């Protein structure tokens, strides 16, 4: 089947995720109202075109800090969460006022990863989003910074946007950034070169993100690394990502009209199921299974399940039903749902089916990870 062209994808996109970060939304004075106003005007125009839009917006902490002023010390996690609690209401108020000028309602949705970890809660969130979009309401989504703990964080709003592609069944993800697009080389390694922006990335799976971006930022959030990692996830779902400079005037409308700007990241021609996507990314891997060459070939070339015989090493302490990473030659090649706990796997790794039965009794699974619960080339 021929790949869908960029222009066709732009024209046919019915549901769009727009993610905007603090670097775009704020300036030295806090929230940048001209940027907010321009963003809302563009979304209103998309609504007139019949597009559904879900907005993933940062800016709550910055708005809270501005409101608190210099009289208050904002230190540590509690300080950040307190600033977010103050700023989230201010941010939403500005959005409400601006959207009302265009006769559009907006809704606030604050999420933690725990809200999507349960399949039942995930489906409930999906139904809520679908109802809002059916009403032509703009959902404005942010991580619930006020209550979230490290283990339940999405990591950044780029990751949240990629998970929302699954929830709202988006056709396109637009990531507004403070740069012109994705640079073809890491500028830290080539400081004296004039580096071009990549106009299009055909196969993001082939990109070495560590080489291109230098890995994650020191705090593990934001930056081009997280944007490309999230774009890699969205591509697996069959959703293209457009990374464009968010502060330029009418940038979203110009990009959708085909102007040469930013970086277009193509989706895969063979998307994974929405269930596998949810399974792989709804929580972080709780352990690591190292496999031998035979198991690697069975998974990657033959589409088989992972059996105990192919496992050479088990890392971590996890229970049955946990998400685990699968590693071959120090490379993470997949994530999946383990039928066994770590302690059980240490007893049966490398064993044949008959040997497993002898070790655990007859009440056992033939597969450690069934192929239906395994995602190859997971972006983790």
């Amino acid at each position: 089947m021929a790949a869908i062209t960029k222009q066709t994808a732009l024209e046919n996109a019915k549901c769009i995720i727009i993610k905007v970060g603090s670097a775009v939304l704020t300036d030295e004075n806090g929230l940048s109202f001209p940027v907010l106003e321009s963003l809302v005007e563009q979304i209103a125009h998309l609504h007139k075109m019949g597009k559904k839009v879900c907005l993933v917006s940062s800016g709550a902490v910055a708005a809270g800090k501005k409101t608190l002023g210099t009289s208050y010390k904002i230190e540590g996690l509690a300080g950040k969460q307190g600033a977010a609690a103050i700023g989230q209401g201010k941010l939403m108020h500005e959005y409400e006022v601006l959207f009302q000028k265009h006769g559009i309602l907006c809704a606030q949705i604050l999420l933690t990863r725990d809200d999507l970890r349960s399949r039942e809660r995930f489906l409930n969130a999906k139904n809520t989003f679908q109802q809002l979009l059916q009403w032509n309401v703009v959902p404005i989504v942010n991580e619930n910074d006020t209550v979230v703990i490290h283990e339940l964080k999405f990591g950044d709003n780029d990751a949240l946007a990629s998970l929302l592609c699954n929830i709202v069944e988006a056709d396109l993800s637009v990531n507004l950034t403070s740069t012109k697009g994705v640079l073809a080389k890491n500028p830290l390694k080539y400081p004296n070169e004039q580096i071009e922006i990549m106009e299009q990335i055909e196969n993001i799976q082939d990109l070495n993100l560590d080489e291109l971006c230098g890995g994650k930022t020191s705090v593990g959030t934001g930056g081009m690394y997280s944007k490309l990692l999230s774009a890699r996830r969205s591509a697996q779902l069959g959703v293209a990502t457009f990374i464009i400079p968010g502060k330029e005037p009418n940038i979203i409308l110009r990009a959708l009209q085909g102007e040469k700007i930013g970086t277009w990241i193509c989706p895969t021609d063979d998307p994974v199921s929405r269930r596998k996507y949810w399974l792989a990314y709804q929580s972080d891997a709780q352990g690591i299974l190292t496999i031998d060459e035979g198991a690697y070939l069975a998974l990657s070339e033959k589409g088989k399940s992972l059996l105990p015989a192919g496992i050479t090493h088990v890392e971590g302490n996890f229970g049955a039903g946990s998400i685990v990473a699968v590693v071959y030659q120090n490379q993470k090649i997949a994530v999946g749902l383990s039928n066994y706990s770590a302690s059980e796997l240490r007893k049966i790794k490398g064993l044949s089916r008959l040997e497993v039965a002898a070790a655990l009794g007859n009440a056992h699974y033939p597969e450690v990870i069934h192929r239906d619960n395994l995602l190859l080339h997971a972006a983790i």
Side-chain angles (χ1 to χ4, degrees), residues 267-282:
T268 180
D269 293 334
D270 186 24
V272 302
S273 70
R274 294 189 179 276
R275 180 186 171 277
K276 271 196 179 184
Y277 191 87
W278 167 80
L279 191 69
Y281 299 128
Q282 46 90 9

Side-chain angles (χ1 to χ4, degrees), residues 72-259:
Y72 296 84
K73 286 186 178 180
I74 303 171
E75 297 176 338
L77 178 61
K80 180 182 176 182
Q81 291 182 321
I86 293 169
Q88 187 63 42
K90 182 174 177 59
L91 179 65
M92 278 304 301
H93 173 72
E94 299 301 337
Y95 275 128
E96 286 174 355
V97 170
L98 290 170
F99 274 114
Q100 281 176 359
K101 292 180 180 179
H102 299 276
I104 297 173
L105 292 174
C106 62
Q108 174 181 261
I109 300 180
L110 301 177
L111 294 172
T112 70
R113 211 162 188 169
D114 197 41
D115 295 318
L116 308 182
R117 189 174 284 180
S118 157
R119 187 67 177 168
E120 183 179 2
R121 291 169 70 179
F122 170 86
L123 292 173
N124 186 59
K126 184 181 178 75
N127 291 336
T128 300
F129 274 98
Q130 287 181 340
Q131 181 64 79
L132 291 171
L133 293 172
Q134 186 179 332
W135 286 338
N136 286 321
V137 173
V138 176
I140 301 178
V141 190
N142 195 3
E143 183 156 34
N144 195 344
D145 290 319
T146 303
V147 300
V148 73
I149 59 175
H150 178 74
E151 290 79 7
L152 298 181
K153 283 182 69 66
F154 293 103
D156 49 63
N157 273 348
D158 295 312
L160 174 55
S162 69
L163 294 177
L164 283 175
C165 283
N166 192 21
I167 294 175
V168 304
E169 299 185 8
D171 306 300
L172 174 66
S173 178
V174 176
N175 200 318
L176 302 178
T177 179
S178 56
T179 64
K180 295 288 185 181
V182 182
L183 294 173
K185 295 180 182 179
N186 186 343
L188 297 178
K189 289 190 174 183
Y190 304 92
N192 299 320
E193 286 192 26
Q194 187 73 23
I195 304 173
E196 293 183 351
I197 298 292
M198 287 191 281
E199 183 180 331
Q200 182 161 305
I201 299 173
E202 294 284 348
N203 188 353
I204 192 170
Q205 300 292 342
D206 291 341
L207 278 187
N208 185 329
L209 300 190
D210 289 324
E211 175 70 22
L212 187 66
C213 307
K216 282 192 175 184
T217 59
S218 59
V219 293
T221 61
M224 193 55 70
Y225 181 95
S226 69
K227 289 171 176 54
L228 289 175
L229 186 68
S230 297
R232 180 179 283 179
R233 292 180 178 183
S234 300
Q236 290 180 316
L237 196 61
V239 178
T241 297
F242 217 164
I243 298 178
I244 55 178
K247 289 195 175 185
E248 291 196 16
N250 290 321
I251 189 63
I252 301 171
L253 301 180
R254 288 160 52 198
L256 265 61
Q257 288 164 3
E259 183 175 331

Side-chain angles (χ1 to χ4, degrees), residues 342-361:
S343 60
E344 289 172 324
L345 287 173
R346 291 188 177 98
K347 293 178 184 178
I348 64 174
K349 64 182 175 65
L351 301 184
S352 68
R353 185 168 183 177
L354 289 176
E355 291 170 324
V356 171
L360 298 180

